[in-house]
Structures are given as C-alpha cells and as structure tokens.
Amino acid sequence: MYFRYDPKSCISSDVIPWLPVFAGLLPEYAAHISQALNAPDTTFPPEPHPKLIPGKYVYGNSTVPGLHRLPDAEKKPNSDEKDRACARIPTPHDPDEQCDEYPFAATVEGAASPVWDFSVKYIDGWQNGQGGNALQALYQSSRILYKDLDKFSVNVIN
C-alpha cells in the first residue's frame, strides 16, 4: 500500500513531478543526462536509427513522453542490459567511475525497454550515487506510484 486513505487528501493529475538535476552540484551526472535528452544520437551505444530517449521536462507541455517508476523487483532486466552495454564502451575509465544509465534502471523506459533507446557513460561514482539518491527522494516526496500510474520527467538545470 502506498499511503493511508484520508478523506481530506486529494490528487491532482494536472501536476507532473519532475526531477531537478543541478549541473553545478553534479556536473558529470547532469552532462550525461543532458546529452541523452538533447543529443541522443551522440550517446553510447550507437543505434542504426535515430534514438528516442524519453523523460525530458518541457515547461507547460504535459504530453511529452515521461518516465514511469518500476518496482525494485523488476529492475534486473534494465540493469543487465545496462551492464552489457557498459562492457562494450571502448574507452578506459577511472576506477572511481561507475557506469551511469539514462533512462534510469528504476523506470519502465530503462535499457531493456523494447520501445525506447538508452545511453550509458562512465561518470564519477559519487555523483552517480547522489543522482540515484535524488531519484529515490523524488519517488518518496512526490509519492510516485508504479508503472503507468504516474509519470515524471527530468530537468537539467545549468
């Protein structure tokens, strides 16, 4: 159960939650997400078709494709696909870096999605962890439900 019934509470489907990603605080994390959202064809892995990566926050436009939360028990296919892609990245990386993926493994639109494309890139491990913490905080603070019940987007703020 997500929350207790309270007759004085309300839900507004007119408000779409969004995750702010501050470039000044997490520059590598923000740069990866910005590249995935704004120049998807420049990301790894390459695709033979124009890449479609969802989740970009567009002020005033609630019709853009968003992201949808997955239960923890269903993230493994996304994580496995991300790991396969990360193993193919041709450039070496620092041991303190982690392979970041966008869309997040914790979303329906993650790397294993048959509909959407994805991006992976090695970034600072601490920043990657902080980004994951921010996503979990958004899930809790906005009470984002699983699968198609709630959508959210991501806004990279410079």
Side-chain angles (χ1 to χ4, degrees):
M1 177 172 223
Y2 291 101
F3 45 85
R4 179 176 55 90
Y5 172 74
D6 183 341
K8 294 178 265 175
S9 63
C10 66
I11 297 173
S12 174
S13 59
D14 294 332
V15 177
I16 308 295
W18 52 276
L19 175 67
V21 176
F22 297 97
L25 297 175
L26 303 172
E28 291 181 29
Y29 184 74
H32 178 221
I33 293 174
S34 181
Q35 181 183 9
L37 292 173
N38 297 310
D41 291 330
T42 67
T43 65
F44 191 88
E47 293 291 342
H49 59 269
K51 279 183 146 181
L52 297 172
I53 298 181
K56 183 175 180 175
Y57 173 81
V58 179
Y59 178 78
N61 187 347
S62 62
T63 64
V64 295
L67 301 175
H68 300 84
R69 180 182 183 186
L70 264 183
D72 288 343
E74 296 181 27
K75 292 191 303 189
K76 187 169 175 15
N78 284 340
S79 295
D80 290 347
E81 187 63 31
K82 181 236 358 166
D83 291 344
R84 281 191 285 279
C86 292
R88 297 191 327 260
I89 293 177
T91 56
H93 62 276
D94 187 288
D96 293 332
E97 292 180 323
Q98 294 175 354
C99 192
D100 181 39
E101 80 280 353
Y102 185 84
F104 313 111
T107 64
V108 171
E109 298 77 14
S113 168
V115 176
W116 301 103
D117 296 304
F118 69 99
S119 172
V120 293
K121 186 176 189 175
Y122 278 96
I123 66 167
D124 177 78
W126 181 85
Q127 290 185 42
N128 194 30
Q130 292 301 305
N133 291 343
L135 179 60
Q136 290 304 316
L138 175 76
Y139 285 167
Q140 297 306 312
S141 67
S142 295
R143 296 183 176 165
I144 295 177
L145 304 177
Y146 294 125
K147 305 241 176 148
D148 293 332
L149 297 173
D150 284 330
K151 85 173 182 178
F152 68 97
S153 57
V154 179
N155 188 10
V156 177
I157 300 169
N158 292 319

